[in-house]
Amino acid sequence: MRNIKDIMVVGFALFAMFFGAGNLIFPPYLGLVSGSSWLTGFAGFVLADVGLALLAMLAAAKCNGEVSKILSRSGKILSIVLGCAIMVCLGPLLAIPRTAATTFEMGIAPLFGGFNPVIFSIIFFVLTLLLTIKPSKVVDIIGSVLTPALLIALAVLIISGIVSPLGDISSTSMIENVFVEGINQGYQTMDTLGAVALSTVIIATIDNKGYKDEKLKVKLTLQAGIVASIGLCLVYGGLAYLGATVSKIYGVDVVQTSLIVNITSSLLGQPGKIILALIVGLACLTTSVGLTSATGQYFTKLTNGKLKYELVVIVVCIFSAIVSNFGVSTIIQFSAPILSLIYPATVTLIVLTLFGDKIKNDNVFKFATYTALIVSLLTVANDFNISIPFVLKLPFASLGFNWIVPVVIAGIVGNFVRSKKAKYNKLNRVA
């Protein structure tokens, strides 16, 4: 019974830490632009969000929740650079500021039109700091208290939209490739990167609850991840459906934060704005707390304690408060190319880590990861009018996975290039 209770608490906490700003605003917009094909878009979204996040949690659990271990076999320099890039994106540069900006635009502004955004950002991150400063309490606070309130509020909204749809679903989609759009929106949630980072918090919590056996910790992490994944899929599906029901009302140029505000207001009236403010506030605060704690623990471990956890989370909160005042649209706009660059390399390392026991040659990791970075860099360059057309003609480019085949080939080649570690081990055996 104790195991089940702990799994549910940790699973609920994971759900809440994953379900933040992007998870709330992207599914309704995806449903809107997909029309009658919203299930196809939803499938792409779940693949890029829930599917990859669950794999990331498994990989992290195998590494005892240490981000550096997941990245280490790609080489010391790259692992540090990529690790810092992931944590900075999840931390004060993109994800954490977006939680505050979304809360203000969707929860506070509709209710209190004249409220000062700077003052709100200060209040939001003071709360984040107070809930984060004791890392051992983070998961219990989120899983036992905040998540149930979040789930109840979400259930009221989604069930209302199912019982009384706002309109007929458009028979055509507003975009060409709905599945790819779902994948791209799934990337934007940053949950795969978040899973790598949040595993630090989750594993530490499981350890503090008395579970010391490594295999048991991996099992409990997987079970908690499945609980979180089921919850996410149900909520995403409901939100995407809500978006599809207004596909004849709004156009592709609708502001994503305004869309969910308008849907909620139309379904529930003025009380809906209060419910939405509660949903957004809880979703974004729990994510902010989880990511701030994870960022603090990562940089404390990276510097062997030279940077104190408390100092890191204070700096993260201050910087995030500043960035959050740029607004959600601006943050999303400059996050897209950064995420497109680091996602493939991160996913590559996650998948390889899952089979790490079978892969003896570190050059498989190095060749594959560097190739993922190079292909990603060339792909992003095309978005900035630097024409490198061949990367757009690679297999699976239309699905956004043009890096997969080059990565597989590079990994195979790397397997036949003997690593320094292998040479060293061989010399030791001879000696």
Side-chain angles (χ1 to χ4, degrees), residues 121-347:
S121 64
I122 294 172
I123 295 171
F124 184 90
F125 284 107
V126 166
L127 281 172
T128 296
L129 182 60
L130 291 174
L131 293 170
T132 308
I133 206 73
K134 295 292 183 184
S136 61
K137 299 293 183 182
V138 169
V139 169
D140 285 338
I141 291 170
I142 294 174
S144 302
V145 181
L146 299 180
T147 307
L150 171 61
L151 286 171
I152 291 169
L154 282 167
V156 170
L157 174 62
I158 292 171
I159 292 172
S160 297
I162 293 173
V163 173
S164 303
L166 291 175
D168 295 327
I169 298 175
S170 174
S171 59
T172 58
S173 62
M174 302 178 192
I175 53 177
E176 290 185 7
N177 199 322
V178 172
F179 186 73
V180 172
E181 180 65 19
I183 289 173
N184 290 334
Q185 296 280 350
Y187 276 167
Q188 285 280 357
T189 65
M190 296 189 250
D191 280 349
T192 303
L193 301 182
V196 174
L198 292 172
S199 60
T200 303
V201 181
I202 297 303
I203 296 294
T205 300
I206 290 174
D207 191 74
N208 288 336
K209 289 182 180 294
Y211 300 99
K212 303 298 181 182
D213 182 74
E214 294 300 321
K215 289 185 178 179
L216 182 58
K217 283 196 280 190
V218 172
K219 181 181 178 181
L220 290 177
T221 302
L222 174 61
Q223 290 171 330
I226 291 172
V227 170
S229 297
I230 292 171
L232 288 170
C233 287
L234 290 173
V235 172
Y236 290 156
L239 291 174
Y241 173 76
L242 294 186
T245 62
V246 295
S247 53
K248 288 186 176 182
I249 302 173
Y250 300 101
V252 70
D253 57 345
V254 66
V255 178
Q256 294 184 12
T257 51
S258 298
L259 178 63
I260 187 65
V261 171
N262 293 340
I263 289 174
T264 307
S265 181
S266 299
L267 283 172
L268 303 172
Q270 184 62 25
K273 291 184 178 181
I274 298 173
I275 291 174
L276 182 62
L278 180 64
I279 292 171
V280 174
L282 289 170
C284 291
L285 183 61
T286 50
T287 299
S288 179
V289 168
L291 292 178
T292 301
S293 180
T295 305
Q297 292 189 48
Y298 174 78
F299 284 107
T300 298
K301 287 182 179 179
L302 182 66
T303 60
N304 294 319
K306 292 179 182 178
L307 284 176
K308 299 299 182 184
Y309 172 84
E310 293 81 4
L311 175 62
V312 176
V313 296
I314 289 171
V315 171
V316 167
C317 286
I318 292 172
F319 192 85
S320 297
I322 295 170
V323 176
S324 68
N325 284 281
F326 289 108
V328 175
S329 297
T330 302
I331 294 172
I332 290 175
Q333 188 175 5
F334 70 74
S335 69
I338 299 173
L339 295 176
S340 296
L341 180 61
I342 65 176
Y343 242 97
T346 306
V347 173

Side-chain angles (χ1 to χ4, degrees), residues 388-429:
I388 308 174
F390 84 91
V391 293
L392 303 179
K393 297 179 181 178
L394 291 170
F396 308 118
S398 61
L399 299 176
F401 292 124
N402 60 335
W403 50 274
I404 288 182
V405 172
V407 162
V408 171
I409 294 172
I412 293 171
V413 172
N415 188 55
F416 292 100
V417 179
R418 186 175 297 177
S419 67
K420 291 180 180 179
K421 183 177 178 181
K423 291 177 182 177
Y424 176 77
N425 289 340
K426 186 176 180 180
L427 286 172
N428 278 348
R429 286 195 299 270

